[in-house]
Amino acid sequence: MLFLLISCFSFILLSKSLSSKHQHHHRERRLFPPWYEAFTTTFMTSWFQKGTLQIFTSTMPLKKLKPKAKNLVWSSSTENQKEDHNKTTPSPSLLDLPELVLDCIFDRLQPAELCAMSGVCSSLRERCVSDYIWAKRMKGKWGKVIGDAAYREWQWYIALQNRSNLLNNQRNQSNLSFESVAKIWPFLSWFNIKPRAQKELKNGGLAVDSIMAWYLALETGRFSFPAQVYNRENGHAGFLLSCYDAKLSYDSKTDTFQARYSPHVRQTTEQNISWDRLRAPPVDTCSYDLHISNSLFDLKPGDHIEIQWRRNREFPYGWWYGVVGHMESCNGNEYHCRCQDTDTVMLEFKQYPSSSRWRKTMINRENHREVGNEGDGFYGGIRKLYNQQEISMWQSLWPNQVIE
């Protein structure tokens, strides 16, 4: 035991000398010779490893500590708090995003994706069927072929649907359900409405007078709309560089249109009409009525025009492309030309040869009415073309050879 006390005392002194080496440096450390420090360090290390450790391990075996009851209560309450927090805190939702971000997301959705998202919940349905969302898609896809006449036709279509429905079930029968759209819309065949979304959509339908309903009616081909077709009858020689009114229905499978022309003409229908051969009517004039021209006094040689023409008075008018030419008395010199000051305007249709009876015709600026005869046909109203895009469209349809 005495030896143990001496060793402990020596170890304490050694520890103090080591802790004060930054203050006293080497003088304090030399209280004991170097060999004594090495011996003591080696002995204490071996003694604790072999002696004391063996004594403690043999007489006092280690026991597994049990957590205190207080710690158990605290840990269980913490877990309960976490569970309660998870239950009370709602998960992030798409509707939590800022309005500007939501608008950007909806702007990038395709019509089929909007229809699918409208079946998620009532809040999303309200957004996905709004006129604001669908007005952009209507203008982007159908704006070039839908005009005022098509809009009036759609209003008549709505009125007829509402009139045919009974008052007590008007809402259910005059609404277009998303489920029926998914069945008949070809490019929506990939999307299946979930049972929960089906139930919601049945409870809240789509208003028949909404822009989305109009878009879907066009896309499915259920609604035929009035428009005009360039080079009807697939570019028949008798209709080159002309544009005729027709009733069009869309086929989403082929991305083409079917046209129904006036029953008075030779062929009443035409299939597989591409988008680039269509346009909305530029003027609000029925195809059987004379267009009242308001640009006759502005016409001068070199101007591009469209003029109404029909074979006989039982046929509807079509719009034909031509240019304003020089009078026969004019040599065509722009510095001496006085053609704009005359009462008569010379119109040329250069797709025909010079010898053709349809190559030229003259109209009166002062009192222009329908002119012509049963042999040459009848000429009606005139539109002067100011828009370069319209002119370029006509020139792109120019035939490869002169029409005989």
Side-chain angles (χ1 to χ4, degrees):
M1 179 63 79
L2 181 62
F3 181 76
L4 177 60
L5 292 175
I6 295 173
S7 299
C8 291
F9 180 75
S10 302
F11 181 77
I12 293 172
L13 292 177
L14 178 61
S15 300
K16 288 184 178 181
S17 65
L18 290 175
S19 63
S20 60
K21 70 174 183 177
H22 294 288
Q23 298 177 0
H24 303 286
H25 300 289
H26 299 288
R27 288 182 299 175
E28 295 295 333
R29 290 185 59 193
R30 288 194 180 92
L31 292 173
F32 299 97
W35 60 267
Y36 180 79
E37 294 178 5
F39 169 80
T40 306
T41 303
T42 303
F43 173 79
M44 293 297 296
T45 301
S46 60
W47 182 78
F48 274 107
Q49 288 179 349
K50 297 180 180 180
T52 310
L53 184 60
Q54 291 177 358
I55 294 173
F56 276 93
T57 54
S58 60
T59 58
M60 300 179 61
L62 296 177
K63 296 182 180 180
K64 185 179 290 186
L65 297 177
K66 295 183 179 180
K68 295 182 180 179
K70 185 177 180 180
N71 293 338
L72 286 174
V73 173
W74 181 84
S75 61
S76 61
S77 61
T78 303
E79 292 177 357
N80 293 334
Q81 289 177 2
K82 289 182 178 179
E83 292 178 359
D84 294 339
H85 179 74
N86 293 334
K87 292 180 181 179
T88 57
T89 303
S91 58
S93 171
L94 177 65
L95 298 175
D96 295 332
L97 295 174
E99 290 294 326
L100 182 59
V101 177
L102 284 175
D103 289 342
C104 293
I105 292 175
F106 285 115
D107 284 343
R108 286 164 173 77
L109 293 179
Q110 297 298 320
E113 296 168 338
L114 281 175
C115 289
M117 185 172 286
S118 64
V120 175
C121 64
S122 58
S123 298
L124 286 177
R125 181 173 64 245
E126 183 179 353
R127 286 178 174 271
C128 292
V129 304
S130 67
D131 286 348
Y132 172 76
I133 291 292
W134 285 92
K136 298 178 181 179
R137 285 149 183 82
M138 175 66 77
K139 183 178 180 180
K141 182 169 185 177
W142 297 96
K144 293 183 179 180
V145 297
I146 294 294
D148 294 337
Y151 179 74
R152 287 195 301 270
E153 193 83 11
W154 172 247
Q155 296 302 313
W156 279 106
Y157 180 86
I158 295 173
L160 290 175
Q161 276 198 333
N162 291 335
R163 187 178 302 172
S164 63
N165 295 329
L166 298 176
L167 293 178
N168 57 352
N169 61 354
Q170 181 177 1
R171 177 181 178 183
N172 294 332
Q173 294 184 7
S174 66
N175 287 348
L176 179 66
S177 69
F178 291 93
E179 184 180 8
S180 61
V181 171
K183 291 179 180 178
I184 63 177
W185 194 358
F187 75 85
L188 276 182
S189 59
W190 56 269
F191 119 76
N192 296 319
I193 302 178
K194 297 180 180 179
R196 177 170 171 267
Q198 269 186 338
K199 184 177 180 181
E200 291 178 354
L201 293 173
K202 288 179 181 178
N203 293 336
L206 176 63
V208 71
D209 59 347
S210 66
I211 298 180
M212 180 180 178
W214 189 12
Y215 187 101
L216 297 182
L218 289 168
E219 196 74 30
T220 56
R222 293 183 300 103
F223 173 66
S224 298
F225 61 96
Q228 294 182 347
V229 182
Y230 290 102
N231 290 357
R232 54 166 294 176
E233 297 187 25
N234 199 22
H236 188 277
F239 296 99
L240 289 178
L241 293 183
S242 69
C243 198
Y244 275 81
D245 286 14
K247 272 291 192 67
L248 298 168
S249 59
Y250 180 64
D251 184 0
S252 60
K253 294 180 180 179
T254 59
D255 194 28
T256 58
F257 294 84
Q258 176 182 347
R260 297 194 308 273
Y261 300 105
S262 170
H264 295 288
V265 297
R266 178 181 56 199
Q267 182 178 343
T268 59
T269 61
E270 182 181 354
Q271 307 285 339
N272 300 322
I273 301 174
S274 57
W275 284 86
D276 57 353
R277 290 179 55 202
L278 303 180
R279 75 174 183 181
V283 293
D284 194 11
T285 304
C286 176
S287 59
Y288 287 93
D289 296 338
L290 178 70
H291 173 67
I292 305 302
S293 306
N294 56 7
S295 58
L296 294 178
F297 290 94
D298 296 333
L299 296 177
K300 61 184 184 300
D303 286 344
H304 302 264
I305 59 99
E306 293 179 10
I307 187 170
Q308 289 177 310
W309 183 87
R310 58 183 173 180
R311 185 70 178 178
N312 59 56
R313 286 191 168 93
E314 294 181 357
F315 283 16
Y317 283 114
W319 290 96
W320 293 73
Y321 172 72
V323 294
V324 178
H326 292 273
M327 301 297 294
E328 293 181 356
S329 59
C330 179
N331 60 5
N333 190 318
E334 60 179 341
Y335 297 105
H336 301 90
C337 178
R338 295 294 181 266
C339 295
Q340 189 175 0
D341 300 329
T342 62
D343 294 336
T344 306
V345 181
M346 178 68 72
L347 303 179
E348 289 191 72
F349 305 94
K350 296 183 178 181
Q351 63 268 34
Y352 298 103
S354 301
S355 59
S356 174
R357 56 181 175 175
W358 292 299
R359 171 70 182 228
K360 294 181 180 180
T361 191
M362 290 188 296
I363 62 169
N364 191 287
R365 296 179 194 265
E366 294 286 347
N367 189 21
H368 175 58
R369 294 289 184 267
E370 184 184 61
V371 296
N373 53 61
E374 294 292 337
D376 298 334
F378 295 89
Y379 296 89
I382 297 176
R383 290 184 60 235
K384 180 179 178 179
L385 301 182
Y386 297 94
N387 190 338
Q388 185 60 42
Q389 186 176 1
E390 284 187 290
I391 298 172
S392 299
M393 181 61 196
W394 282 112
Q395 292 176 342
S396 67
L397 299 171
W398 197 267
N400 296 327
Q401 57 186 6
V402 178
I403 303 173
E404 298 294 338

